[in-house]
Amino acid sequence: MNKIIQFMKRNYKIILLVTALAAGLWSFIPKEKASDPEKDKMLIELLTFVIEKGHYNPAAIDDTFSKGVYKDYLNAIDPSKRFFLQSDIDEFAKYETQIDDEILNKDLTFFDLTYSRLMKRMEESKEYYKQVLSSPFDYKKIESINTDYEKLPFAKNTQELKERWRLQVKLSALASLVEKQKLEDNLVKDKNKTLDEKLKDFRETQGDALTDESEKKFIADVEKKKNQTPKSYEQLEKETRESTLSSLDDNFNFIKDLDREDWFSVFINAIASRFDPHTSYFGASEKEKFDVSISGKLEGIGARLQKKSDFTEITELISGGPAWRGKQLEAGDVVLKVAQADGEPIDVVGMRLDDVVKKIKGPKGTEVRLTVKKQDGTIKVITIIRDQVEIEETYVKSSIVEKDGFKYGIIYLPKFYIDFEDQNSRDAGKDVALEVERLKKAGVQGIVMDVRDNGGGSLKTVVDIAGLFIDQGPIVQIKSAAGKKEVLYDRDAKVQWDGPLVVMINEFSASASEILAAAIQDYKRGVIIGSKQSYGKGTVQNVIDLNQFVRGSTYGDLGALKTTTQKFYRINGGSTQLEGVKSDVAIPDRYAYLKMGERDIDNAMPWDKIDAADYKVWDKQNNFDLAISKSRERMSNNAQLNLIDDNAKWLDERNKENVYSLNIDKFKAEQKALDEKNKKYKPIVDYKNSFKFNSLPYEVDEMNKDTVLKEKRDRWHESLSKDIYVEEAIHILNDLQSENNKGLTAKSKKEKLVKS
């Protein structure tokens, strides 16, 4: 049956309805394996049928819908207008109001036309940039480029398109050249410094991050560069053209790996997303990636790969995975062949990255043999037994910090993960509960829940997590397309943490993150701090396996559809859709003025409200309002935050500037002016708070055995020590402490002094 993102049991009526109605489609499905176009027609019919019957508020498939698909699709396949000519667009234009009819008639004329034309134009474009990069640029010529592609018209003819490529490639090469010249200038300056002077500068820039190893490496690099001769302008200019050519070749090699099915998925998604921004189609491989992102688990060897020209390179070993445990495979190894157990090795050079990944991944307990080229040039065959791999970055982590004799815990939750296939596996709800227990055992007197940049996930886990901090009661309300309202409750009277609580959000905190923040805010259970408001996604999606609707299909995996089936509401009745959750203490951030929320998407669903649920506000935090008031006062007088706000306004202005000079002297002058302006904002990057962050004892033991984990945690703690928002969260926790607690802490300090 369906693999549902959010609370499947509560959506069974919708799914049953769609399944029953889809029975009528079975008679139209060919029993024999058909060509790809036939499969595409079936997909369009399936998707539009399932969306129309299961979507919360399906849009009418009419001329307005058609215009939206037309615009979104062309923007997706040629966003910078470097492939199609105006004559192509003129030819496509007659379909602008016909796509709705084609959808209903399972007609692929528009897609076939645009796909074949795109392939032709892309092939032609390879020659444009290669020709441009075959000879030196004239960087003294006075000319400029406008990169506002949205307002840019399509090229009138091939000559104009070639000129557009020339300008774009020249900008890329010029930026690279100027950077290379800066490095050479620094090399010349460094030659006039003694080793002691260089070391002094290096130590100052490294600060607390300085280690004996990094210092030795720096000295070795200095020795290596000692006899280096600065490169001439001609050498640098040639190098930048070669690197730009290589970069463009890599980009086109990636595009070459995409097949018709990949491009058809782009078209299908242009259709799906017109119903709302969160309705989308997953092809088979994309569905698998989505499942991994939700569960944080996969079965394979535990290695990240990337394509470099015709080769597949290992970029990272996932800590704890079978490849990492085996200690034979290394980052930088190039995979030449793949064999299954005793099977014949298959050459994967030149193969699509997705296809290489499919051959390497496999069920837990099975064997795969990789023939790899090591960085020293040797060829080795490495045997690995596949296993379940946990993506550590998916999971919750915590840290401890002290202030004024109080100990506080920070819990960072990157997403609300769950594995719907295995109820006994770890999920965000169980893991956060475990971290709370560990922090309590460590003696913390306040907790920060950090859901910044958390885009959501499982609704079940957010209900579980919110329930850790309140008595039993409602957490979120859900409304279906039929208007039926349902309230999801925490029914466990146990409060796992009843002490001071702060929840951190930003403009990228969405969906389940907003449910958590809204519930905590409505109960007045904790203080919400962060961006002015969160992302504003107040809808629930279900993932529906399309294969269930087709009996005896010979088309292979048809993928899945993620579609919006419900809206959720705060327990106070308001929706988070568009409006998000507004912070109790809004703190300036660098992206405050840029358009990036749900409210900035043209086909987002509207805001509305329903009746409030029956709930009781938390009454055990006497100094809640006082803590908010003191925090706001600190914010208004904080020079660092005023600087961040000023930087945010400047970034917004910079975002509107799209014209760049391609004259090297003018370009350098522009860059110098930007560098000077950026110096004003350097204190933002250099900022360091006064706190020291540490892992819990159990994790310290793990870090001693795992250097990769240690490095990741060290980097996290370093970022926390530079985070002004975390600093303010800790101040608020301190303000939330009861006077009784503060008296006890002062007393214990006094006793320690007497004893000493």
Side-chain angles (χ1 to χ4, degrees):
M1 282 299 289
N2 310 319
K3 294 177 181 178
I4 306 301
I5 299 181
Q6 312 283 20
F7 244 24
M8 175 182 169
K9 289 181 180 177
R10 301 188 181 275
N11 299 321
Y12 73 98
K13 289 184 180 177
I14 294 168
I15 305 306
L16 286 176
L17 171 67
V18 173
T19 305
L21 290 168
L25 286 173
W26 284 331
S27 59
F28 300 106
I29 305 305
K31 301 302 176 188
E32 300 298 321
K33 184 173 174 66
S35 63
D36 278 345
E38 290 304 311
K39 177 184 176 181
D40 294 342
K41 289 177 185 179
M42 182 180 69
L43 268 177
I44 284 182
E45 183 179 22
L46 264 177
L47 258 73
T48 53
F49 182 85
V50 174
I51 291 173
E52 284 190 304
K53 300 303 177 187
H55 194 277
Y56 180 84
N57 186 25
I61 301 179
D62 54 17
D63 286 356
T64 301
F65 184 91
S66 180
K67 288 178 181 178
V69 175
Y70 178 85
K71 179 188 171 192
D72 290 352
Y73 173 60
L74 290 183
N75 188 54
I77 61 176
D78 190 11
S80 55
K81 298 176 181 173
R82 279 190 285 171
F83 297 118
F84 291 132
L85 297 168
Q86 185 59 50
S87 58
D88 297 323
I89 302 303
D90 293 341
E91 191 177 344
F92 301 157
K94 69 178 181 180
Y95 296 96
E96 188 176 11
T97 57
Q98 292 181 21
I99 297 172
D100 57 320
D101 302 309
E102 289 197 350
I103 290 170
L104 297 173
N105 295 320
K106 294 175 286 181
D107 185 348
L108 302 178
T109 304
F110 173 66
F111 171 74
D112 288 337
L113 173 63
T114 53
Y115 170 70
S116 59
R117 190 64 50 82
L118 181 65
M119 295 303 102
K120 182 175 184 287
R121 296 296 182 225
M122 282 184 168
E123 198 59 38
E124 292 167 351
S125 297
K126 290 181 190 176
E127 297 307 314
Y128 302 160
Y129 75 76
K130 286 178 181 176
Q131 186 180 348
V132 167
L133 291 164
S134 63
S135 55
F137 286 109
D138 177 7
Y139 288 120
K140 291 296 181 182
K141 185 177 180 181
I142 303 295
E143 58 183 352
S144 61
I145 180 174
N146 189 328
T147 59
D148 187 356
Y149 302 118
E150 194 174 335
K151 294 178 183 175
L152 194 71
F154 284 92
K156 295 186 183 72
N157 49 50
T158 303
Q159 197 56 41
E160 192 174 299
L161 189 60
K162 285 181 178 178
E163 177 64 3
R164 188 167 293 179
W165 271 96
R166 184 187 72 80
L167 294 174
Q168 184 64 54
V169 171
K170 185 177 181 180
L171 174 63
S172 179
L174 175 58
S176 179
L177 175 62
V178 170
E179 279 304 308
K180 283 179 178 288
Q181 285 184 323
K182 277 185 188 176
L183 291 173
E184 291 301 312
D185 290 344
N186 289 337
L187 187 65
V188 172
K189 288 176 186 174
D190 274 355
K191 277 186 174 292
N192 299 322
K193 288 184 180 179
T194 65
L195 178 59
D196 286 341
E197 288 173 324
K198 292 175 186 176
L199 262 176
K200 183 183 176 185
D201 291 343
F202 176 72
R203 286 166 181 159
E204 285 177 359
T205 57
Q206 290 291 295
D208 292 343
L210 182 70
T211 63
D212 290 342
E213 192 176 326
S214 65
E215 191 168 294
K216 285 176 186 175
K217 187 177 181 301
F218 175 76
I219 294 169
D221 287 341
V222 170
E223 288 298 316
K224 196 186 296 181
K225 293 175 183 175
K226 192 163 63 176
N227 299 318
Q228 262 185 296
T229 305
K231 293 176 182 176
S232 66
Y233 169 84
E234 288 73 22
Q235 285 175 298
L236 295 176
E237 197 279 335
K238 185 183 178 186
E239 277 184 14
T240 56
R241 281 186 292 115
E242 288 172 348
S243 63
T244 303
L245 177 63
S246 176
S247 177
L248 283 165
D249 282 343
D250 285 345
N251 187 46
F252 271 84
N253 283 334
F254 170 76
I255 292 172
K256 185 181 71 175
D257 274 355
L258 301 176
D259 56 24
R260 186 183 186 280
E261 191 175 321
D262 294 316
W263 291 106
F264 188 69
S265 287
V266 177
F267 179 58
I268 282 282
N269 272 302
I271 295 171
S273 65
R274 289 317 299 176
F275 288 91
D276 80 285
H278 306 291
T279 292
S280 60
Y281 168 70
F282 296 135
S285 61
E286 289 304 310
K287 174 60 169 59
E288 190 176 343
K289 290 174 187 172
F290 176 78
D291 288 342
V292 169
S293 75
I294 286 293
S295 68
K297 295 187 304 188
L298 58 86
E299 289 189 352
I301 68 169
R304 291 191 171 97
L305 314 176
Q306 74 175 19
K307 195 77 179 284
K308 281 197 175 178
S309 190
D310 281 339
F311 297 97
T312 300
E313 183 181 291
I314 305 292
T315 58
E316 183 187 349
L317 301 182
I318 297 171
S319 182
W324 176 84
R325 293 196 304 266
K327 298 182 180 178
Q328 293 187 74
L329 199 64
E330 298 172 295
D333 289 352
V334 174
V335 182
L336 304 176
K337 296 180 182 181
V338 180
Q340 309 302 323
D342 296 328
E344 283 296 310
I346 295 171
D347 192 337
V348 296
V349 176
M351 191 178 283
R352 281 169 35 121
L353 181 61
D354 278 356
D355 292 333
V356 179
V357 170
K358 283 176 187 174
K359 293 187 183 305
I360 294 176
K361 285 175 71 175
K364 176 180 177 179
T366 58
E367 180 184 298
V368 64
R369 286 182 292 118
L370 306 182
T371 302
V372 301
K373 182 180 180 182
K374 309 295 284 185
Q375 290 183 338
D376 61 6
T378 58
I379 307 294
K380 287 190 176 180
V381 177
I382 298 172
T383 300
I384 302 172
I385 303 299
R386 299 177 178 109
D387 199 353
Q388 190 172 88
V389 180
E390 293 186 343
I391 315 299
E392 186 269 333
E393 290 86 346
T394 303
Y395 299 125
V396 66
K397 58 188 175 186
S398 63
S399 182
I400 288 180
V401 63
E402 288 192 26
K403 174 179 169 58
D404 296 341
F406 291 96
K407 197 181 284 186
Y408 299 118
I410 295 163
I411 299 176
Y412 173 60
L413 183 65
K415 62 177 60 181
F416 292 83
Y417 50 89
I418 194 169
D419 184 350
F420 288 105
E421 298 296 312
D422 182 3
Q423 295 300 316
N424 296 317
S425 70
R426 63 189 299 185
D427 66 47
K430 289 186 282 192
D431 286 356
V432 171
L434 181 59
E435 290 305 306
V436 169
E437 281 305 306
R438 286 167 170 164
L439 290 170
K440 282 167 66 176
K441 189 177 178 182
V444 301
Q445 289 155 296
I447 289 177
V448 176
M449 274 296 304
D450 185 355
V451 290
R452 291 177 297 174
D453 302 318
N454 182 326
S458 160
L459 184 56
K460 177 187 181 302
T461 60
V462 72
V463 172
D464 291 343
I465 291 169
L468 300 174
F469 305 109
I470 64 161
D471 296 322
Q472 57 187 350
I475 302 298
V476 63
Q477 303 187 90
I478 295 179
K479 186 180 164 191
S480 66
K484 183 182 176 183
K485 186 182 88 169
E486 184 176 13
V487 183
L488 303 186
Y489 288 87
D490 164 44
R491 300 192 182 278
D492 184 354
K494 178 186 175 185
V495 182
Q496 190 158 4
W497 177 254
D498 63 359
L501 177 68
V502 170
V503 177
M504 299 181 68
I505 62 170
N506 64 7
E507 56 276 282
F508 299 112
S509 301
S511 194
S513 297
E514 294 173 289
I515 292 174
L516 176 65
I520 297 300
Q521 189 174 60
D522 290 345
Y523 275 106
K524 289 192 78 170
R525 173 61 188 89
V527 178
I528 312 300
I529 76 164
S531 304
K532 186 177 178 182
Q533 71 175 73
S534 56
Y535 185 82
K537 178 183 176 291
T539 55
V540 180
Q541 284 72 43
N542 288 340
V543 175
I544 302 171
D545 183 357
L546 295 177
N547 296 290
Q548 67 176 303
F549 299 127
V550 184
R551 287 176 181 164
S553 167
T554 54
Y555 289 128
D557 196 329
L558 296 172
L561 174 72
K562 177 163 69 77
T563 187
T564 298
T565 56
Q566 297 167 313
K567 287 181 79 173
F568 63 77
Y569 298 82
R570 304 170 66 132
I571 54 175
N572 71 7
S575 172
T576 61
Q577 180 63 16
L578 301 185
E579 290 196 0
V581 176
K582 292 178 172 59
S583 295
D584 296 317
V585 180
I587 307 178
D589 66 76
R590 297 184 72 192
Y591 309 108
Y593 301 100
L594 300 178
K595 293 183 177 180
M596 53 182 66
E598 182 100 354
R599 60 198 174 280
D600 302 310
I601 304 173
D602 66 353
N603 62 325
M605 294 176 74
W607 179 90
D608 63 340
K609 67 181 296 185
I610 60 175
D611 293 336
D614 184 17
Y615 66 99
K616 182 183 176 185
V617 171
W618 184 265
D619 59 2
K620 298 169 187 168
Q621 188 69 62
N622 299 327
N623 44 0
F624 184 86
D625 293 330
L626 178 63
I628 291 174
S629 173
K630 289 173 80 171
S631 179
R632 287 174 179 169
E633 187 179 344
R634 273 193 301 272
M635 296 303 94
S636 64
N637 297 321
N638 190 303
Q640 182 75 2
L641 290 174
N642 290 335
L643 185 64
I644 289 171
D645 191 50
D646 186 59
N647 184 220
K649 290 172 182 173
W650 180 69
L651 284 175
D652 185 41
E653 289 303 311
R654 284 290 309 153
N655 196 45
K656 295 168 187 171
E657 294 178 22
N658 303 294
V659 178
Y660 297 89
S661 175
L662 297 177
N663 171 275
I664 192 166
D665 297 323
K666 286 192 172 185
F667 186 85
K668 281 183 176 179
E670 289 169 0
Q671 294 303 304
K672 186 178 180 182
L674 288 175
D675 288 343
E676 286 301 313
K677 183 71 174 177
N678 271 316
K679 284 179 184 176
K680 177 183 177 183
Y681 303 118
K682 193 170 183 295
I684 296 174
V685 180
D686 294 341
Y687 184 79
K688 198 165 175 59
N689 58 50
S690 58
F691 299 119
K692 181 171 175 54
F693 299 85
N694 297 292
S695 288
L696 286 160
Y698 86 94
E699 195 170 64
V700 172
D701 292 339
E702 290 179 9
M703 288 160 57
N704 290 334
K705 303 170 195 169
D706 185 345
T707 55
V708 175
L709 178 64
K710 184 178 187 308
E711 185 183 343
K712 286 179 179 177
R713 287 298 180 268
D714 287 346
R715 283 204 303 263
W716 182 45
H717 291 153
E718 176 70 15
S719 70
L720 289 175
S721 71
K722 294 181 175 181
D723 194 327
I724 193 169
Y725 309 101
V726 168
E727 179 182 26
E728 182 54 27
I730 294 165
H731 287 318
I732 294 172
L733 284 180
N734 219 48
D735 292 336
L736 287 171
Q737 294 299 326
S738 68
E739 291 304 317
N740 186 44
N741 276 358
K742 289 179 180 177
L744 287 172
T745 303
K747 183 182 176 184
S748 64
K749 277 185 177 179
K750 189 175 180 181
E751 286 173 351
K752 283 180 183 177
L753 285 171
V754 170
K755 286 177 183 176
S756 62

